[in-house]
Amino acid sequence: MKKYNTPLIDDLEKGPWPSFVTEMKKAAKNNEMANDALGHLEKCYSTKVGYWKHGGIVGVLGYGGGVIGRYSELGEEFPGVAHFHTVRLNQPSGFFYTSKALKEICDIWDKYGSGLTNMHGSTGDVVLLGCRTESLEAVFAEYSSRGWDLGSSGSALRTPSCCVGPARCEWANYDTLGLNYALTQEFQDEMHRPSFSYKFKFKLSGCACDCVASLARSDMSIIGTWKGNIVIDQAEVKNYAKNGMDINAEIVNMCPTQCISYDGKEMKIDNAECNRCMHCIAKMTKALKPSGEKGATICIGSKAPIVVGSLLSWVIVPFIKLEPPYTELKDLIRKIWDWWDENAKPRERIGEVIEMKGMRSFLEYIGVPPMPQQIKEPRKDPFMFYTEDDIASFKTKEAEEKKTGKYKF
Amino acid sequence: MALPQRKTDIGPPNFEQFLPPVIKKNYGKWKYHEVLTPGTMVHVAESGDKLWTVRVASPRLIATDTIREHCDIAEKYCDGHLRYTTRNNVEFLVSDESKLEPLKKDLTARGFKMGGIGYGISNIVHTQGWVHCHSAATDASGLVKSMMDELYEYFESKRLPNKLRLAVACCVNMCGAVHCSDIAIVAVHTKIPTIAHANFKNMCELPTVIGSCPTRAISPDTAQKSVKINPEKCMFCGNCFTVCPPMSIKDPERDGIAIVVGGKVSTLRTNPKFSKLVIPYISNEPPRWPKVVAAVKHIVEVYAANARKHERVGEWIERVGWERFFSLTGIDFTFHSIDDFTFMRDTLRTSPAFKW
Ligand code: HEM
Ligand code: HEM
Ligand code: HEM
Ligand code: HEM
Ligand code: SF4
Ligand code: SF4
Ligand code: SF4
Ligand code: SF4
């Protein structure tokens, strides 16, 4: 094996934080591809440019995604990275593993690939970095015969991912792991055979803490919430005060809706005015607990700035119950995809299409009524459309009023 | 050797088979949790059962042998159970309290770093950079390593007014939730692409290339069977390069780094926010990016000294005002921080009430 001199990246082995260079060297000890990746990276550090080339038709038979094609411009100098495709392996919900399962993943990867991984990629998949085109079918056969499937890439439903939820969190308002698994299984075809105008992502968080950042980076953000009261354990409130929490400063005054009061003994919440932001609950988890109906808020459209500015997801369905077999949600998703498919130009994310065509057209198609929970504030301009039906319905309402003698605004 | 029979569309394994027994038993019935140290927490179920979690740093890019070591540790102390987090840390799940201290001792002996829980700095979400992506203006892993070395005390022990979420994107595509982080690094190109006209017609599709440009800077160059770029309109997004490799946008001396601050995704107290541009350009200086690291550390320290308890970076800045953020940090305010793209209307000030 060729020995590379790597003074620049060697510097990144110093210091307290675990080093990715040390990891690459570990893999390079008995893997030619990882060894060349090391030399290749040193070259990037010395010239300050990258040498990867995009794309190429790579993948496994019958699938249109799950593998990211990658070649180096410097394939002759570093043959081990001439092909360096990424295999995206669909992670289990919540990233839970047993050592037995993980070791099996590692053994297969060492046999065919570079021995380098990302645990995990930002989408959620196990990212197996660096594999030759001709190994892909073998890699796929080895993994799929043992129960592991590829994730997704390209203009498809991307691998869904979720927060740890009910498995280890007291705040989960629905079964994020269960729903994540159900959606992944339901939409295998949409994941593996790209047929959308662009990517579409689901991310599932059990509460508004949003540990998977779904509101910022998923076309459909499914965020847990509840409809009942926050139940207060006054004895535990006393304990928090005793242990040094300044309840008025840290909780009462920081409540965005100013719906909490505390007189030094007892804490009260005006539940009708709470907007369920999670602040008080997250700070006083032993004392405060949501109760009543549990479910989720569905938001749509977030994306990074490319091309005309970032979007955060917009609320479309303020509350939906989420219980197996999740029929209502699955039907909603299919309707959303239909509308997107009909209206999108190539490479338009759903948020961008909604911006172009208007929220009204979208909501009408998917059958969701307008609600003040969907907006921060009403429109500021008078430039709106009135359809014949709109005017007719205003007129009907007024005719009704004339009969009853009572205005209904 | 014959390969096993492939299967398609089976999806991932059902997560249930990987859950530790204590989680299966108490699934959805957790009562509360307590952070014991920045590296350990305990979750208590309604049944009284307890689950200890020990969180360990990871560079995300890891070798299979390191995963095997995670497995060996999990077998010794956690009956083989472990998980990874959204921010790429490793978590060992302990259901037998007597194994907690021996686990921590063993982790320390092996050189693993525990931390990242609660009001401090956890692992940095990042993208591929020079390790794997064609679009990268810098390396993500190296920046992360350089920053975390310098901020390490906030991972392991030192506390802040609230969590501080960091992210790195190696180009303006910003894979990952970089645009809603307390502090994020975005690598930028700063020059219009050079076009290898001879290769254009073989490698690129004209309508795709023209359509890829958000500012409509690209028009056909019929004489050369290629395209030309209007330099007045190009803002160096690199979108054209992604669809057309001969339009090279990489430039070792001009590619650089911008810093955005004040984003968040949770709704706690205040609504989710985008991060906003405060430092438009720092030169790309591998392998340690000293000026970037110093700038980030400086912002962290000014936040730590000025924010109230529970305030995230963006909440603190909104309370004191952006003009105060610039005066407290001493960061030069430049034209780059005034939006002249899609968010101008929403971001200019419309009142004469402000501070000096
Ligand atoms: C069949 C050949 C190709 C394959 C398998 C392929 C695969 C991929 C993959 C896996 C990504 C990674 C980013 C992601 O996760 O989406 C990507 C991104 C991208 N590719 Fe390709 N690609 C191919 C051909 C092309 C061609 C010919 C173009 C342009 C003419 C192109 C343009 C892009 C663009 C613009 C992105 C940006 C990311 C995105 O849209 O999601 N690709 N491609
Ligand atoms: C032992 C077998 C092979 C060797 C040694 C090999 C080697 C290479 C090398 C050195 C490159 C150029 C990388 C660069 O500098 O850009 C390349 C590119 C490529 N190879 Fe292979 N290859 C092999 C098999 C295959 C097979 C079986 C396929 C397809 C089924 C394939 C598809 C490609 C493609 C699509 C490219 C990329 C062309 C481009 O990016 O423009 N190769 N290969
Ligand atoms: C036009 C814009 C974009 C382009 C051209 C693009 C291109 C790519 C490419 C080429 C990769 C593969 C990196 C590698 O492994 O070599 C990638 C990975 C990825 N992209 Fe994008 N991307 C774009 C936008 C986005 C956006 C907006 C998001 C999320 C909001 C995103 C999320 C991801 C994720 C999660 C990965 C996985 C890689 C990782 O974990 O580091 N991408 N993208
Ligand atoms: C739909 C858009 C609007 C229409 C059709 C409209 C129309 C009018 C009309 C007809 C007048 C009376 C002029 C007169 O004295 O004969 C007026 C006065 C005025 N408008 Fe508007 N206006 C509009 C929007 C606005 C907005 C957005 C503002 C401010 C933000 C504004 C500020 C004023 C002011 C300050 C006056 C003077 C009122 C006064 O003398 O007390 N208008 N507008
Ligand atoms: S998003 Fe909410 S339910 Fe999910 S892990 Fe985070 S705090 Fe728990
Ligand atoms: S959840 Fe938020 S809005 Fe509701 S009472 Fe608590 S702090 Fe106030
Ligand atoms: S941010 Fe840019 S350079 Fe980095 S992985 Fe994404 S597309 Fe590639
Ligand atoms: S870099 Fe961006 S703005 Fe400039 S020409 Fe290319 S696509 Fe257009």
Side-chain angles (χ1 to χ4, degrees), chain A residues 11 14 17 23 26 45 48 52 63 70 84 86 99 107 110 168 170 175 192-193 250 283 307, chain B residues 9 27-28 33 62-64 66 68 75 80 91 119 128 130 132 139 145 149 214 269 284 288 310:
Chain A
D11 194 63
K14 299 173 198 150
W17 190 251
E23 293 296 322
K26 206 187 270 189
Y45 269 66
K48 302 209 283 181
W52 298 110
Y63 278 23
R70 188 65 79 232
F84 209 67
T86 288
S99 55
D107 291 345
D110 279 345
R168 201 198 52 197
E170 63 267 33
D175 182 0
H192 291 141
R193 281 154 217 97
E250 294 181 41
K283 303 310 157 210
V307 176
Chain B
D9 297 318
Y27 195 85
H33 74 280
I62 53 180
T64 44
T66 298
R68 289 193 182 92
E75 280 168 10
E91 288 183 341
Y119 281 9
Q128 297 292 2
W130 289 333
H132 202 256
D139 188 38
K145 164 75 176 146
D149 277 344
R269 301 168 300 282
N284 191 21
R288 281 283 174 181
H310 306 308

Side-chain angles (χ1 to χ4, degrees), chain B residues 165-169 178-186 258-261 275:
Chain B
R165 300 296 199 206
L166 294 167
V168 172
V178 175
H179 54 299
C180 292
S181 307
D182 291 281
I183 305 178
I185 306 298
V186 185
I259 299 183
V260 294
V261 309
S275 319

Side-chain angles (χ1 to χ4, degrees), chain B residues 11 95 132 155 175 187 213 230 243 259 277 293 306:
Chain B
S95 44
H132 202 256
F155 177 81
C175 303
C213 178
N230 178 348
V243 301
I259 299 183
L277 182 96
V293 173
N306 290 280

Side-chain angles (χ1 to χ4, degrees), chain A residues 302-361:
Chain A
S302 66
K303 53 177 281 292
I306 290 283
V307 176
V308 281
S310 20
L311 300 174
L312 285 166
S313 288
W314 301 302
V315 172
I316 54 164
V317 179
F319 189 84
I320 185 170
K321 281 197 106 114
L322 292 174
E323 272 150 20
Y326 309 108
T327 315
E328 191 187 349
L329 179 67
K330 290 174 184 168
D331 290 348
L332 179 72
I333 290 167
R334 290 206 166 86
K335 270 191 241 158
I336 289 173
W337 285 343
D338 276 351
W339 182 85
W340 183 38
D341 192 45
E342 264 172 40
N343 292 289
K345 293 199 283 282
R347 290 175 54 77
E348 261 183 353
R349 299 281 287 269
I350 189 149
E352 296 168 309
V353 183
I354 294 174
E355 264 196 318
M356 289 297 294
K357 302 276 163 184
M359 189 51 107
R360 175 174 182 165
S361 131

Side-chain angles (χ1 to χ4, degrees), chain A residues 24-204:
Chain A
M24 291 178 78
K25 287 188 176 173
K26 206 187 270 189
K29 262 189 223 140
N30 34 35
N31 188 304
E32 199 87 46
M33 294 179 85
N35 189 51
D36 280 0
L38 206 57
H40 190 260
L41 186 64
E42 176 73 12
K43 176 115 184 180
C44 297
Y45 269 66
S46 67
T47 58
K48 302 209 283 181
V49 286
Y51 297 98
W52 298 110
K53 291 197 292 188
H54 173 263
I57 302 173
V58 289
V60 301
L61 208 66
Y63 278 23
V67 178
I68 298 192
R70 188 65 79 232
Y71 304 95
S72 172
E73 290 168 16
L74 308 176
E76 299 207 342
E77 194 180 342
F78 304 99
V81 297
H83 294 200
F84 209 67
H85 312 315
T86 288
V87 178
R88 288 181 171 174
L89 206 61
N90 196 335
Q91 82 287 1
S93 290
F95 309 116
F96 283 94
Y97 295 94
T98 55
S99 55
K100 184 166 162 280
L102 270 181
K103 283 179 175 171
E104 195 171 79
I105 292 179
C106 291
D107 291 345
I108 298 171
W109 188 234
D110 279 345
K111 196 163 146 196
Y112 296 96
S114 70
L116 291 170
T117 72
N118 287 156
M119 297 296 284
H120 295 76
S122 315
T123 322
D125 305 283
V126 174
V127 166
L128 303 172
L129 279 172
C131 173
R132 293 194 62 81
T133 307
E134 59 274 19
S135 305
L136 289 170
E137 279 300 331
V139 168
F140 182 60
E142 297 266 16
Y143 281 119
S144 65
S145 64
R146 288 172 177 78
W148 297 91
D149 203 342
L150 297 189
S152 164
S153 62
S155 293
L157 171 64
R158 297 301 181 82
T159 314
S161 76
C162 65
C163 75
V164 71
R168 201 198 52 197
C169 181
E170 63 267 33
W171 300 325
N173 289 296
Y174 70 96
D175 182 0
T176 51
L177 291 84
L179 177 60
N180 193 62
Y181 181 67
L183 292 179
T184 310
Q185 291 296 346
E186 177 83 13
F187 298 119
Q188 283 290 301
D189 195 38
E190 287 80 356
M191 281 178 65
H192 291 141
R193 281 154 217 97
S195 61
F196 292 162
S197 55
Y198 205 2
K199 60 181 100 170
F200 194 97
K201 299 179 181 181
F202 295 130
K203 291 216 167 8
L204 289 68

Side-chain angles (χ1 to χ4, degrees), chain A residues 226 230 255-257 259-260 269 274-281:
Chain A
W226 74 95
I230 297 176
C255 166
T257 59
C259 68
I260 312 180
I269 296 179
C274 162
N275 70 9
R276 295 174 312 283
C277 83
M278 283 301 291
H279 170 71
C280 60
I281 294 165

